[in-house]
Amino acid sequence: MRSPLKRFRALYGASPLHLLGALASFAIIAVAVSGWFAEPAVSLKYILIWFAGAIVAHDLLLLPAYSALDRLTTIRRRRPAPAAPPSDAEPAGDVNAPAGAASVAGHVYLRVPVILSGVLLLVFGPEILNLGDSTYHVASGQHQHVYLARYLAIVAVLFSLSALAYARARFSHARR
């Protein structure tokens, strides 16, 4: 007899906490979408045009661009084959694995900070680049000059954390 938690995991495919998080996300999305239609000036036509533009911009322009850049980071130089076959005392390892595959790949640790920095720049680009400072000042009473410094600080922290994670992975790999 399986426990209720194991039966739930078998039926749903994840833990109840995952389901709770998904339901909370859907509730937040529902509140945001209902807010779009709260003002009478917002038209469904403009929302659909925005979504279509976002889909086209992402799927036709951004996805191929960042996929190509990611592919460029994964290209490895071919290394010459070892001169002598491994002895019986050494494990042979995976015959199909490329040379150096067991080492820690550095490009993996660049993906997350690059993607997060890009998303932040995409979302807050006008503020970071001080575009529309006068309008922003009239609306909020603040200036946009702080955004660039904050963005650069966030990017520095992201890359620093990634470098620490990479160093930790290299250290633990070297210990093995």
Side-chain angles (χ1 to χ4, degrees), residues 44-170:
L44 181 62
K45 177 178 94 172
Y46 294 117
I47 292 171
L48 292 177
I49 289 171
W50 185 85
F51 270 118
I55 290 168
V56 167
H58 178 266
D59 292 353
L60 294 180
L61 301 173
L62 294 176
L63 180 66
Y66 63 72
S67 295
L69 287 173
D70 185 55
R71 188 70 173 155
L72 285 174
T73 64
T74 60
I75 294 175
R76 296 180 186 207
R77 295 182 182 171
R78 296 198 181 265
R79 296 184 184 181
S87 67
D88 292 339
E90 298 177 21
D94 186 7
V95 176
N96 296 325
S103 66
V104 177
H107 71 278
V108 173
Y109 290 90
L110 288 176
R111 283 182 181 163
V112 172
V114 166
I115 289 170
L116 291 177
S117 300
V119 168
L120 283 173
L121 185 61
L122 185 65
V123 172
F124 296 106
E127 286 84 8
I128 293 168
L129 301 173
N130 286 330
L131 302 176
D133 186 53
S134 60
T135 307
Y136 185 82
H137 180 67
V138 169
S140 68
Q142 311 245 341
H143 289 283
Q144 293 177 326
H145 65 275
V146 297
Y147 278 94
L148 179 61
R150 290 176 182 172
Y151 172 74
L152 292 175
I154 290 170
V155 169
V157 167
L158 288 172
F159 277 95
S160 298
L161 290 174
S162 183
L164 287 173
Y166 177 67
R168 181 174 178 252
R170 291 279 300 212

